[in-house]
Amino acid sequence: MEEENGELRRTVSVKIGVFHHWMLTLRDIQYEIKEFEYDLEYQLYERDVTQRLYDATEDEKERKHWQKQRNRIDKAISATETELAKSQKQAAYCEAMLAIIQSDLEAEGIDPDELDLDTFLFGDEFDDEFDDEFDDVFDVDFDDDTLF
């Protein structure tokens, strides 16, 4: 019976760990999205200013300069829009993963919104198992003379 409880706790710990991983992944992607949105707004404004300069310039050589600037900015806008779309798609994948994991945790009687993910640790039984695996590796006696 205790072995079943230990296995159940381990399974729940694993689910919480996976939930934690995907929450961090989503947070990182959301941060990227905000950066891309800022960059896009910046580039659009820069293009607007460049276009106004182009429109106000009568000298053909200067107009070519502003047109080249506009083309460069348009390429940057296109690249930023592409990266933004990729990040938004990744965020949607993370949200789909999290929805299923949340459902699994709720089925175990765990409210995912109540988890303190910043201090998440595996349970003691996981630590004990990990320690047992490496007992032989670290069970070495050193003399002071052998260290140097």
Side-chain angles (χ1 to χ4, degrees):
M1 181 70 168
E2 188 170 312
E3 189 173 314
E4 282 182 31
N5 285 339
E7 193 62 32
L8 181 60
R9 283 194 304 261
R10 182 184 167 123
T11 300
V12 170
S13 290
V14 167
K15 290 177 183 180
I16 292 171
V18 173
F19 179 75
H20 181 244
H21 166 78
W22 284 99
M23 286 296 292
L24 292 175
T25 301
L26 179 60
R27 183 184 65 188
D28 292 345
I29 292 169
Q30 288 170 334
Y31 181 77
E32 286 178 5
I33 288 171
K34 288 181 186 211
E35 285 182 329
F36 288 133
E37 289 171 341
Y38 176 84
D39 290 348
L40 186 57
E41 187 175 344
Y42 180 100
Q43 293 162 344
L44 290 170
Y45 176 68
E46 188 177 29
R47 181 178 67 181
D48 177 60
V49 171
T50 302
Q51 183 64 45
R52 287 189 274 162
L53 286 166
Y54 174 83
D55 293 342
T57 302
E58 293 181 15
D59 181 64
E60 197 58 39
K61 186 176 179 183
E62 288 181 28
R63 286 175 67 84
K64 284 183 181 180
H65 167 77
W66 293 119
Q67 184 59 46
K68 285 180 185 178
Q69 287 294 98
R70 167 85 193 255
N71 291 343
R72 181 188 58 77
I73 294 167
D74 284 341
K75 286 180 184 177
I77 289 171
S78 178
T80 301
E81 288 173 335
T82 299
E83 292 303 313
L84 176 60
K86 286 179 186 177
S87 291
Q88 288 169 332
K89 195 171 194 175
Q90 288 176 330
Y93 292 150
C94 285
E95 289 167 351
M97 287 284 293
L98 284 167
I100 290 173
I101 297 166
Q102 284 175 328
S103 176
D104 290 348
L105 288 172
E106 288 168 355
E108 299 282 350
I110 298 169
D111 182 358
D113 296 328
E114 297 295 318
L115 293 174
D116 183 8
L117 297 178
D118 290 330
T119 59
F120 170 75
L121 297 170
F122 285 101
D124 290 337
E125 69 278 349
F126 181 83
D127 291 338
D128 292 342
E129 180 180 322
F130 182 77
D131 289 342
D132 290 345
E133 289 181 26
F134 292 97
D135 278 347
D136 295 336
V137 175
F138 298 113
D139 191 21
V140 177
D141 291 327
F142 291 103
D143 294 337
D144 288 339
D145 297 335
T146 61
L147 293 176
F148 299 101

